[in-house]
């Protein structure tokens, strides 16, 4: 089959790879209908040292079950499925608690320990298929593109935005500020809106993206950054935002969050931190009793809840995909996202 | 009057100071019945540069109202009151939300902006008296010592331990680990017990203190620190403690908290951080979805709730006071606490 591999920074290629096979009785084989490139894929795209064998890429995909191992109980060939960005068993303490990203038996795509490959390919072996995959009745390869895109967003970015809002404690009437106008930030806006937020300030400076943010529920846009951005948000929120959703992951975004959060408030992070140490002492989090929360979203926990509104079209998270390419053009998808010519790229294997 | 001042590291003296007077119509004058020395008073005791004028000391006291300003509506001379460690107006947004430590009109004792002095003295001017002070009917100077000690604990350490447990989300059946066997740590144990925790692991290595911790509700004691302490708690809790209450404030205690917390868990800090930056990235808080919360306790918000069980004797938080001295001996109180010969010292002005 054809599959996307990264061989080093800036070096993404679509190559011939072995067809995946059932290796464990709990495996399923999934033929990919749509995959995509993640903002977090751009980190190795900037930093990865050259390697000869390359790494298989992609952790977001939807597709059709082609075969199942002997112990797979809930799926049969032909089922349409969403694959979350984490593999999870569904039965351990953490899976039962809705924290599938901490599954004691699972892991991630392109994971050496699990032996998983990536979703930017024609097909994928899915370990722990009963726990990992979510079946969606009534969907096929020929379902219309906007709906497929919205289903694809449930594999990561929509569930991640939702996690930010849930961990931030957004509820009816909340005032929320979202830092970042990438796909996750925009879907954090949508999620905050769905959870009843009344005021949603979106911090971002790419007008096409913040316009989409306004469409998805933002009430205000702040394009400034740094001290000016902090002053603008503090002014809009009369002294600070009780809930801040941080969807970037770089230190300036963390500093922005600390600068705009209201005493007693919450900073909920879902942007993968590109730092380890950060200010948390008396002058930042402790003095004003700020709560810092968030982490990798257990999107598996949210799919069933978010699916109905996606299926009936009342929300359209797939709007964050603004470019579609074929699998053979996946390297162009990385380049377009890196150059910020595309917000998020959907990849079709045909 | 006589009052305690610190003139530099290790240099505490009881000196003649001007009698306090009513300066604002919202002030009250309180004659001190009992005061005490706080673990946090030991930070300047170690670090304060020498000064000629000295700083008035003490932020925990109980006493009797002697006079009130014209606008004080809820207190009259003769009322017995508890003074929380923060001055608060009672009417601003943060006071109404129970976050009096962020009061926009208030502040702290020994505060230049508010013009406040300290509680380790014969009398104190209390600004914003209606908001700050809590009246306790039926108490006088001659109430017995154990009850006065428990009432005094409500001015800081009991409410601070309670804040740790509340922000940690302790509820019926919780498994909790408390880091630190100082007065706050021990009262965090008591608070966790009151909130229904089933398993309470106390990390501390001073046997007399951990014995008191067992009396107050701890089910296990871990004396080891560092990697050994982490291994011991992870073993006792089958993989990590869902709730960690950090009552120390030094970096090793933070690292201990990160090492023992369970994925998806909470670290609630009430020990005043002696650091500004700390690990919060993928390898510490973010990856396992850990929540970091806490801060200076709004003890004012908790006093009414905690008072009945103190008054009827069903809890005795005053047990953390293991030494009583007269005001003239306050310097000895600092020395005894610094040498760990005393856990917490109650000071009587006579």
């Amino acid at each position: 089959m054809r599959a996307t591999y990264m061989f080093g920074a800036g070096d993404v290629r679509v190559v011939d790879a072995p067809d995946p096979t059932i290796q464990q009785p709990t495996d399923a084989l999934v033929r990919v209908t749509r995959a995509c490139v993640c903002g977090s894929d751009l980190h190795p795209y900037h930093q990865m040292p050259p390697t000869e064998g390359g790494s298989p890429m992609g952790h977001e995909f939807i597709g059709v079950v082609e075969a199942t191992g002997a112990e797979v109980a809930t799926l049969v060939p032909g089922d349409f499925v969403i694959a979350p960005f984490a593999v999870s068993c569904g039965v351990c303490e953490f899976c039962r608690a809705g924290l599938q990203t901490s599954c004691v038996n699972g892991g991630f795509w392109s994971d050496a320990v699990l032996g998983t490959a990536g979703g930017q390919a024609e097909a994928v072996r899915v370990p722990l298929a009963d726990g990992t995959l979510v079946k969606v009745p009534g969907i096929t390869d020929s379902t219309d593109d906007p709906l497929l895109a919205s289903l694809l967003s449930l594999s990561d970015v929509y569930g991640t935005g939702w996690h930010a809002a849930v961990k931030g404690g957004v509820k009816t009437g909340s005032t929320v500020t979202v830092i970042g106008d990438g796909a996750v930030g925009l879907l954090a806006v949508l999620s905050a809106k769905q959870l009843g937020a009344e005021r949603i300030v979106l911090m971002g400076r790419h007008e096409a993206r913040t316009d989409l943010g306004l469409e998805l529920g933002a009430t205000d846009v702040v394009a400034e950054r740094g001290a000016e951005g902090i002053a603008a948000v503090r002014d809009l929120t009369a002294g600070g935002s009780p809930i801040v959703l941080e969807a970037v992951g770089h230190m300036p975004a963390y500093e922005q969050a600390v600068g705009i959060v209201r005493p007693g408030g919450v900073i909920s992070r879902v942007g993968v931190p590109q730092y380890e140490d950060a200010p948390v002492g008396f002058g930042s989090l402790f003095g004003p009793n700020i709560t810092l929360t968030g982490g990798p979203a257990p999107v598996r926990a949210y799919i069933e809840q978010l699916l109905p509104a996606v299926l009936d079209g009342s929300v359209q998270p797939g709007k964050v995909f603004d470019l579609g390419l074929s699998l053979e053009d996946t390297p162009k998808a990385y380049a377009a996202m890196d150059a910020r010519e595309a917000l998020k790229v959907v990849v079709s294997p045909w």
Side-chain angles (χ1 to χ4, degrees), chain A:
Chain A
M1 69 165 182
R2 300 289 284 171
T4 306
Y5 278 67
M6 189 181 289
F7 292 84
D11 185 5
V12 176
R13 301 177 222 162
V14 180
V15 300
D16 288 319
D19 285 334
T21 56
I22 299 284
Q23 292 173 24
Q24 302 288 334
T26 49
D27 285 354
L29 291 187
V30 174
R31 184 172 44 74
V32 175
T33 301
R34 293 286 186 280
C36 55
V37 180
C38 186
S40 67
D41 291 335
L42 295 181
H43 296 312
Y45 190 72
H46 293 145
Q47 299 162 359
M48 183 177 169
T51 60
E52 206 166 310
S55 291
M57 296 301 296
H59 54 257
E60 303 155 282
F61 62 95
I62 53 178
V64 178
V65 174
E66 289 227 310
T68 55
E71 291 176 17
V72 173
T74 62
L75 299 163
V76 294
D79 283 344
F80 193 92
V81 291
I82 299 169
F85 73 82
V87 171
S88 58
C89 71
V91 294
C92 76
E93 167 197 344
F94 297 108
C95 284
R96 282 181 285 119
L99 191 64
Q100 286 88 343
T101 43
S102 290
C103 173
V104 297
N105 302 303
F108 296 92
W109 303 105
S110 315
D111 179 316
V113 177
L114 275 177
T116 48
Q120 294 161 11
E122 288 184 277
V124 183
R125 177 179 79 86
V126 178
L128 303 167
D130 281 329
T132 304
L133 297 171
V134 180
K135 184 160 85 173
V136 189
I139 305 294
T140 69
D141 280 350
S142 52
T143 295
D144 67 66
D145 276 340
L147 181 51
L148 288 180
S150 286
L151 293 169
L152 179 59
S153 76
L154 286 167
S155 70
D156 183 346
V157 283
Y158 185 18
T160 296
W162 184 261
H163 186 58
V166 166
K167 295 293 283 182
V170 178
K171 57 181 198 286
T172 304
S174 291
T175 292
V176 180
T177 300
V178 176
I179 300 177
D181 59 8
V184 170
L186 296 177
L187 294 177
V189 167
L190 173 65
S191 300
K193 175 78 176 173
Q194 284 183 276
L195 288 165
E198 198 165 274
R199 188 84 183 268
I200 305 173
V201 181
L202 173 60
M203 300 193 80
R205 56 179 186 172
H206 302 88
E207 205 174 329
R209 300 179 181 190
T210 55
D211 282 350
L212 179 53
L214 290 167
E215 188 185 330
L216 293 172
T219 55
D220 305 85
V221 169
V222 169
E224 294 86 352
R225 292 183 171 188
E228 279 180 41
I230 290 171
V233 174
R234 295 188 71 85
D235 189 48
L236 276 171
T237 56
S241 188
I243 301 172
V244 178
L245 312 182
E246 198 283 87
V248 177
H250 291 289
M251 181 50 80
Y254 181 90
E255 290 167 342
Q256 198 101 93
V258 170
I260 64 177
V261 70
R262 198 177 196 84
V266 181
I267 298 171
S268 177
R269 292 182 300 169
V270 291
V272 180
Q274 302 303 301
Y275 51 84
E276 187 57 38
D277 285 8
V280 301
F282 206 97
S284 48
L285 303 188
F286 188 86
N289 267 280
I290 305 305
T291 295
L292 178 68
T293 190
V299 297
R300 179 66 183 79
Y302 302 132
I303 294 176
E304 277 98 343
Q305 181 182 2
L306 298 177
L307 196 53
V310 167
L311 290 174
D312 73 18
S314 54
V315 296
Q316 296 174 291
K319 286 192 173 181
V320 296
F321 293 99
D322 58 349
L323 180 61
L325 294 172
S326 75
L327 177 60
E328 292 300 324
D329 285 332
T330 307
K332 290 183 188 168
Y334 280 78
M337 284 179 61
D338 186 43
R340 294 184 177 276
E341 292 161 14
L343 170 52
K344 195 164 174 75
V345 184
V346 61
V347 174
S348 309
W350 53 80

